[in-house]
Amino acid sequence: MKLILTREVAGLGLAGDVVDVADGYGRNFLVPRGAAIQWTKGAEKQIVQIKRSRDAREIRDLSHAREIKADLEKLSITLEARAGKDGRLFGSVTTGDVAAAVKSAGGPLIDKKRIQLPGHIKTTGAHVVVVDLHPDVVASIPLNVTAV
């Protein structure tokens, strides 16, 4: 079965890649989860658009990664979350929450898949979040979680 990936699939490819997979894997796993679409001549035109959006989010090279790291480490990120009296959060902070907080603090758009949390953040206070920008470049971002 020939498919066009709409997002990155570990061990298979990146968004916009055309892949051949077993019929059952494509029909029962990739397509229902939105990770791929059936390849047709009409869908072939979407590959350019998918790759263009992937390239906009992707870090181009080592020097670009270093620039983003410098921008991220300048930021002071505060994330507001609902918490009880003792400072325990109702739920936990997710990578999506951190990515949105970076963007709202004036930082660059970061793919939430690149963010690594130090375990589950379930309390208010200061935490350090790691962002893998490039195999050679890792940024550490101070994150202050406050109660709403």
Side-chain angles (χ1 to χ4, degrees):
M1 172 179 264
K2 201 170 187 181
L3 297 174
I4 301 170
L5 297 178
T6 56
R7 64 176 185 233
E8 182 179 352
V9 177
L12 196 56
L14 300 173
D17 291 347
V18 177
V19 295
D20 283 318
V21 296
D23 290 344
Y25 181 54
R27 187 174 37 249
N28 299 326
F29 185 77
L30 295 174
V31 174
R33 286 177 171 74
I37 57 173
Q38 184 76 33
W39 181 90
T40 62
K41 287 188 179 188
E44 184 79 30
K45 296 174 185 174
Q46 292 178 330
I47 292 175
V48 175
Q49 182 181 3
I50 292 169
K51 286 186 178 181
R52 188 178 309 135
S53 66
R54 178 183 78 188
D55 292 340
R57 290 188 313 257
E58 198 167 295
I59 296 171
R60 293 183 291 275
D61 57 5
L62 185 61
S63 63
H64 185 234
R66 287 185 178 144
E67 290 174 15
I68 292 174
K69 177 182 177 181
D71 291 342
L72 287 174
E73 291 180 344
K74 290 179 197 173
L75 294 177
S76 174
I77 300 171
T78 301
L79 182 66
E80 294 181 347
R82 288 187 40 205
K85 295 177 185 175
D86 59 347
R88 294 208 27 99
L89 301 181
F90 298 124
S92 63
V93 175
T94 64
T95 56
D97 295 336
V98 175
V102 168
K103 185 65 179 165
S104 67
L109 181 64
I110 299 174
D111 188 9
K112 66 181 182 179
K113 295 175 189 171
R114 296 182 180 271
I115 298 172
Q116 295 178 358
L117 299 176
H120 296 288
I121 299 177
K122 294 188 175 197
T123 59
T124 58
H127 302 278
V128 177
V129 176
V130 176
V131 180
D132 291 326
L133 299 169
H134 190 271
D136 297 333
V137 180
V138 177
S140 297
I141 304 172
L143 175 69
N144 187 24
V145 179
T146 59
V148 176

